[in-house]
Amino acid sequence: MLSDAHAGSTQIYEGSELELFQHARNWKRYLRTALQSVISGDVAEVGAGIGFTTENLAFNHRAKRWLCIEPDAAQCNDIRTLRDSGRIPEKCEIWNGKLCDLPARATFDTIIYIDVLEHIEDDRSELEAAMIRLKHGGRLVVLAPAYQYLYSAFDESIGHFRRYTLSSLRAVAPEDLTPSEGYYLDSFGLLASLANKWILKQPMPTPDQISTWDRLLVPISRLTDHLVFRSFGRSAICVWDKN
């Protein structure tokens, strides 16, 4: 058991966007619909933050165990509070540290990075470490912001090193992993990202802007994404299998 364990060395996350996005209920539902079928068994969530993804995805009955990996001790406390209040399931354990700090015995059926890989400077080495932690037949799932041309003041302010295309995501994955799925989500939300890049130029969206995107644009994207065969969107998703 790794519950409430720590690696002995932690860091402080300096971004301030997590609280803004935690109330994006339509986006949560859409993301859960998209990802629930590829998450199963013993799951490691890298960069669990304040529990936004955990709360949204961990109730999946196909996930037997869920390890929240988070280097920020204060955010680990936020996750612990969610668990104590029943907002995330009791099967969720907490590791205050990084994936590479885990004991060698810790391996997983699914490892997920949800809006996390773009915060890691050496993304290639990170995915190599994830591949080593996957069991044979395991699955790696990455969701990241799409298209480097959309890189904006907002990305810079919250510590993004880059944005991705499906091709650039696949390019940093270890060769021992086999791509199984790749697509984009939130085609209409792409317009909001373009507006912020070229018009608003804001380092941080306002709560009202997040609410408008979630309430109006995400439901439209749920329709248009299928019409355009998920060929473009605000977020890129790649899934790999370890054979």
Side-chain angles (χ1 to χ4, degrees), residues 32-158:
R32 183 166 61 246
T33 299
L35 297 181
Q36 62 187 354
S37 65
V38 296
I39 297 174
S40 62
D42 291 335
V43 179
E45 177 194 348
V46 181
I50 61 175
F52 174 94
T53 297
T54 314
E55 185 179 14
N56 190 33
L57 298 179
F59 282 100
N60 185 341
H61 69 278
R62 301 173 72 244
K64 298 177 182 178
R65 184 171 67 96
W66 193 285
L67 181 64
C68 300
I69 301 173
E70 174 52 53
D72 186 310
Q75 293 187 345
C76 285
N77 287 333
D78 291 333
I79 299 170
R80 195 172 293 112
T81 298
L82 290 179
R83 187 181 60 192
D84 292 345
S85 66
R87 289 176 57 185
I88 63 174
E90 292 184 2
K91 67 186 176 186
C92 292
E93 304 172 21
I94 302 165
W95 175 258
N96 182 199
K98 299 179 181 180
L99 178 71
C100 60
D101 299 323
L102 288 170
R105 70 179 186 277
T107 57
F108 304 92
D109 299 294
T110 311
I111 298 178
I112 65 174
Y113 292 79
I114 307 300
D115 286 322
V116 169
L117 193 64
E118 63 275 10
H119 292 273
I120 300 173
E121 186 170 10
D122 191 350
D123 51 358
R124 188 181 300 272
S125 293
E126 179 69 25
L127 294 189
E128 286 280 356
M131 187 269 294
I132 292 170
R133 298 287 181 176
L134 279 175
K135 301 175 185 178
H136 288 291
R139 182 176 288 131
L140 174 65
V141 181
V142 176
L143 178 144
Y147 305 118
Q148 185 62 23
Y149 68 79
L150 289 177
Y151 191 92
S152 66
F154 170 67
D155 292 283
E156 184 175 5
S157 72
I158 61 175

